[in-house]
Amino acid sequence: ICLHISLWSCDRVHLLSRELLAPYPLLRRVPASIFPEFVPVSVVPRAAEAEDETYVLLVGAPWRIKGVDLLIAAFRRLAPEFPAVKLKLLGWFPDRERLEALAGGSPQIEILKPRPNPEVLQIISRAAVFALPSRCEGAPVVVLEAMASGAPVVASDVAGIPSLVRDGESGFL
């Protein structure tokens, strides 16, 4: 109710993605502008040659909203079939103990501390797969960075992500 009253009262709403109003039929005609996302793709390193390890990568925080628990559960189900593949989780995780408990001591799951953006871009460029199973999201810059690096992207079909990733074309939802 508050959302409807607020948006009907305003002159214009500024959103990260037009799809954010899709679940609200009564709000679809509210005048809307979109925040432009800017990623300087020229500074994003292209996918690097395969190194000594193959990994699935998630970059983001907070971990609950980004769906890290969902990714860990899925990875742990598949890990026995792919013993050479690791899962790397990169970000600031204030509840690290809970995250480590979800990982269950798996040697294939690595929780990385936050890094400066140039270093993060290097890590993204070496990922075999970039995953973002977010529960809710705007238009995540990290998905654009992964796409710019050439890393394959698998992300959830929520909010602004489908405006960036076209299922089966530029990644998988």
Side-chain angles (χ1 to χ4, degrees), residues 36-92:
E37 287 293 329
F38 176 75
V39 175
V41 294
S42 63
V43 301
V44 176
R46 295 293 297 158
E49 291 293 319
E51 293 189 8
D52 57 343
E53 66 180 354
T54 302
Y55 58 90
V56 175
L57 176 68
L58 178 141
V59 176
W63 68 267
R64 173 94 172 101
I65 291 173
K66 297 296 182 185
V68 176
D69 55 323
L70 302 172
L71 183 57
I72 289 172
F75 184 83
R76 288 187 68 190
R77 282 193 305 273
L78 295 172
E81 296 177 46
F82 302 93
V85 178
K86 287 187 171 188
L87 172 62
K88 292 189 178 195
L89 309 170
L90 174 59
W92 182 72

Side-chain angles (χ1 to χ4, degrees), residues 19-41:
E19 289 79 16
L20 293 174
L21 292 180
Y24 308 99
L26 299 176
L27 298 177
R28 289 186 189 146
R29 291 197 173 155
V30 171
S33 305
I34 306 302
F35 282 108
E37 287 293 329
F38 176 75
V39 175
V41 294

Side-chain angles (χ1 to χ4, degrees), residues 1-2 13 15 17-18 36-37 52 58 60 65 75-76 92 98 103 125 127 132 144-145 153 158 171:
I1 293 173
C2 288
V13 62
L15 305 168
S17 164
R18 289 200 188 284
E37 287 293 329
D52 57 343
L58 178 141
I65 291 173
F75 184 83
R76 288 187 68 190
W92 182 72
R98 173 120 164 78
S125 74
L132 190 65
L144 295 174
E145 291 169 337
V153 174
V158 298

Side-chain angles (χ1 to χ4, degrees), residues 82-166:
F82 302 93
V85 178
K86 287 187 171 188
L87 172 62
K88 292 189 178 195
L89 309 170
L90 174 59
W92 182 72
F93 307 112
D95 194 2
R96 188 178 175 105
E97 295 78 27
R98 173 120 164 78
L99 205 54
E100 288 171 349
L102 290 170
S106 171
Q108 287 177 264
I109 300 174
E110 187 177 354
I111 302 170
L112 305 171
K113 292 182 180 176
R115 313 275 169 90
N117 189 258
E119 192 175 334
V120 171
L121 294 176
Q122 287 293 331
I123 294 168
I124 290 172
S125 74
R126 293 190 301 264
V129 174
F130 179 83
L132 190 65
S134 291
R135 288 182 166 89
C136 79
E137 195 65 70
V141 169
V142 71
V143 168
L144 295 174
E145 291 169 337
M147 292 170 76
S149 80
V153 174
V154 177
S156 51
D157 188 2
V158 298
I161 294 175
S163 68
L164 304 175
V165 178
R166 288 187 179 81

